[in-house]
Amino acid sequence: MRRWGSAMVGFAGLSRPQELVGDMRLDEVYTPAERLRSGGGRSLQHWAGRLAGKYAVLRLLGIPPTAEHLGQAEVLPRPTVNCERSAACHHGHPPTVRLGAKLRAAAEPGQQIRISLSHTSGQVLAVAVASWRLPEDETEVG
């Protein structure tokens, strides 16, 4: 496994999430929780951010970006202790990634994958970094 992976996804000029994934199916690339979180009036920027995060994670793990593999990397906001644990909470929480079983097997035991997303008006840059677990990882809400 590499120490980091990055990806950039452009969304300028696009109007639908399907345009981001091309021939892949949305329900294979995005988990139900991601589709719920990105839908409901959210902009295409949210869909692109999740996709960029997924690509960065797969690059970190050295795994090809198939629809199945992308769907195994779930990118969602990490609730904090200040959040009321509501699915409707839209405060700016840092992104986190949860790996499905196939991707967990490719990750090194004891390591945590952290991601960072940065948006412009038409692109999202994602960076995924492998690190050892930190004390605050044990107190995450969710």
Side-chain angles (χ1 to χ4, degrees), residues 75-96:
V75 177
L76 290 170
R78 182 179 64 215
T80 63
V81 293
N82 295 328
C83 183
E84 296 177 4
R85 299 181 190 203
S86 166
C89 180
H90 292 294
H91 298 288
H93 299 301
T96 189

Side-chain angles (χ1 to χ4, degrees), residues 18-119:
Q18 184 62 52
E19 293 174 282
L20 293 168
V21 298
D23 293 336
M24 295 182 278
R25 291 184 21 216
L26 279 180
D27 63 346
E28 289 179 312
V29 174
Y30 295 97
T31 67
E34 289 172 321
R35 292 191 310 271
L36 177 66
R37 186 74 182 179
S38 292
R42 292 276 177 130
S43 71
L44 194 57
Q45 172 179 316
H46 290 91
W47 293 89
R50 287 181 190 358
L51 186 60
K54 291 167 173 285
Y55 277 121
V57 167
L58 293 182
R59 287 184 180 149
L60 166 72
L61 296 173
I63 294 177
T66 65
E68 178 186 7
H69 293 151
L70 289 164
Q72 286 274 312
E74 183 177 67
V75 177
L76 290 170
R78 182 179 64 215
T80 63
V81 293
N82 295 328
C83 183
E84 296 177 4
R85 299 181 190 203
S86 166
C89 180
H90 292 294
H91 298 288
H93 299 301
T96 189
V97 63
R98 290 187 184 140
L99 302 179
K102 292 178 183 180
L103 295 187
R104 268 196 314 272
E108 290 186 30
Q111 287 204 325
Q112 177 82 18
I113 296 178
R114 301 176 186 290
I115 62 171
S116 178
L117 304 174
S118 181
H119 299 82

